[in-house]
Amino acid sequence: MKKQRPPLEWEKGELWILDQRKLPAREVWIRARSVETVAKAIESLAVRGAPLIGIAAAYGVALAAKEKGAAESILNAIERLRHTRRTGYNLFHALDCMREVVQRRRGKLAEHTLVEARRIHATESARCQTMSHHGAGLMEEGEQVLTYCNTGTLATGGIGTALGVIRTGFLEKKVSHVFVCETRPLTQGARLTLWELVQSGIPCTLICDNMVAALMATGEVQRVFVGADRIARNGDTANKIGTYMLALLAAYYEIPFHIVAPSTTIDASIKDGSEMEIEERDSKELTRSIPGLAKLQGYDVWNPAFDITPAGLIHSFVTEYGIEEPPFLESD
Ligand code: MRU
């Protein structure tokens, strides 16, 4: 399996960010020398995927420490980064770790924040590796699986969450084929997951999101693996809009539906999905790909980026600790 270049690289005091908006057509790299460049990359989805957003933000704090030096300015930079995305929990987890370093250490903050950002990056990557083995252990030989959005190297910096399980499952001959949902409106499935699977040499088929019921009815799907952006104490899970629909269909067809996510996605401070804030995005994300729609007047657009799958529809949760059951008490 070809090793993919990581989507974030720290080199000589700068952060190089692979611009995921341009994939798979072009590999364009953003050179970030300031926290503001990182914040804008997160806001614009140049960098995306819950774990990777947390890692990028951590490096953003390291850049702020290099740029600004004083603790107060770095804390302001952390505040700026906290407002870049809203639903994915890893961002807040990573920024809390960075804030602790800034508040605990006296002096040499540029060095200490970089050490912490690198630790967050390495730990998230190691979590993916462990989860991938736990998840692959759920499967029998030769299964065909369905996945949604992008949960691979591009979303995590490591082997991936759901896609990590699929990759390991493929190497162990447990996964024979992957169905990839397009994932409207920003098509992270069609653009990013397909790109990663093709590079890894894993047989895959692209489908539109509205083909899932018809596909499941054929009996061709044995399991669904998806990632998560935030998981509440009771197991209610926010993930890319459309995940809930998949979980309902999987329940109808009695297909096991698994969430794969590191403990840093679990927000044990909220009891259930009703306490989650769901990010709503610009209507242009829906309209711009359809010629003429942007000019048409007299209609509204609703564009939530995530939905919440109730815990009862989730067969199991794969974290770095193994196959887990809610309630989740704390993330580390
Ligand atoms: O809006 P995005 O592209 O950041 O959303 C990403 C997802 O919803 C992923 O499925 C989720 O972050 C899990 S990735 C490990």
Side-chain angles (χ1 to χ4, degrees):
M1 196 175 290
K2 194 175 142 196
K3 201 164 180 321
Q4 211 176 304
R5 188 175 167 191
L8 289 178
E9 283 180 335
W10 182 272
E11 213 181 282
K12 297 188 186 125
E14 297 170 347
L15 181 65
W16 288 90
I17 301 172
L18 177 59
D19 188 342
Q20 300 193 28
R21 297 166 302 179
K22 306 281 195 304
L23 290 173
R26 283 183 300 143
E27 262 186 57
V28 176
W29 290 82
I30 298 167
R31 179 187 199 174
R33 283 184 271 197
S34 70
V35 62
E36 191 51 31
T37 308
V38 176
K40 289 207 166 92
I42 297 173
E43 279 166 344
S44 66
L45 267 60
V47 57
R48 47 144 304 278
L52 198 74
I53 291 168
I55 299 165
Y59 282 121
V61 177
L63 282 175
K66 200 165 158 272
E67 261 184 290
K68 302 172 196 281
E72 202 186 319
S73 314
I74 306 169
L75 292 173
N76 288 339
I78 291 176
E79 252 339 273
R80 163 75 181 102
L81 288 161
R82 282 184 88 84
H83 290 89
T84 49
R85 299 279 312 258
R86 293 211 293 281
T87 305
Y89 188 60
N90 307 60
L91 170 68
F92 303 98
H93 187 279
L95 289 176
D96 286 348
C97 295
M98 298 305 289
R99 190 178 46 209
E100 214 188 299
V101 168
V102 175
Q103 287 172 335
R104 195 163 27 92
R105 298 283 182 173
R106 297 270 167 269
K108 293 196 178 166
L109 288 177
E111 274 174 45
H112 292 306
T113 51
L114 181 58
V115 167
E116 182 62 2
R118 286 195 199 276
R119 184 197 68 79
I120 289 170
H121 194 169
T123 315
E124 283 295 19
S125 180
R127 286 187 179 108
C128 287
Q129 208 66 43
T130 319
M131 283 186 288
S132 77
H133 289 289
H134 293 312
L138 290 166
M139 288 182 276
E140 307 286 335
E141 201 180 314
E143 293 192 5
Q144 304 205 114
V145 302
L146 177 85
T147 194
Y148 201 66
C149 196
N150 173 264
T151 63
T153 302
L154 293 170
T156 63
I159 183 176
T161 56
L163 209 59
V165 170
I166 290 170
R167 281 179 160 136
T168 299
F170 177 72
L171 290 174
E172 295 178 359
K173 301 203 176 342
K174 291 180 168 172
V175 171
S176 61
H177 201 91
V178 187
F179 292 99
V180 181
C181 296
E182 183 187 26
T183 320
R184 283 275 291 152
L186 294 179
T187 60
Q188 290 94 329
R191 292 185 303 106
L192 309 176
T193 299
L194 218 56
W195 187 72
E196 290 203 48
L197 285 170
V198 168
Q199 287 194 58
S200 298
I202 301 177
C204 50
T205 300
L206 174 66
I207 60 165
C208 292
D209 305 335
N210 56 4
M211 295 171 186
V212 171
L215 175 68
M216 286 183 175
T218 64
E220 294 287 309
V221 178
Q222 280 83 56
R223 220 172 272 278
V224 180
F225 286 107
V226 297
D229 290 270
R230 191 181 292 232
I231 302 172
R233 206 157 59 225
N234 76 336
D236 287 355
T237 296
N239 193 48
K240 182 54 55 195
I241 187 76
T243 304
Y244 178 28
M245 184 175 68
L246 248 60
L248 285 167
L249 289 168
Y252 182 83
Y253 286 104
E254 297 181 352
I255 297 169
F257 182 91
H258 307 283
I259 296 287
V260 188
S263 57
T264 45
T265 305
I266 299 172
D267 179 1
S269 75
I270 56 171
K271 85 174 178 315
D272 60 32
S274 66
E275 292 179 52
M276 287 185 199
E277 193 183 346
I278 298 295
E279 190 176 311
E280 284 203 27
R281 300 191 61 89
D282 195 325
S283 63
K284 289 195 192 79
E285 287 183 354
L286 252 89
T287 56
R288 71 183 164 210
S289 61
I290 303 170
L293 210 53
K295 284 198 187 128
L296 195 71
Q297 305 279 305
Y299 67 96
D300 289 330
V301 172
W302 182 49
N303 186 22
F306 303 98
D307 58 22
I308 296 165
T309 301
L313 292 173
I314 299 164
H315 204 266
S316 65
F317 293 85
V318 182
T319 76
E320 70 270 28
Y321 299 116
I323 310 304
E324 295 210 87
E325 296 260 327
F328 298 107
L329 298 180
E330 59 187 38
S331 58
D332 59 3

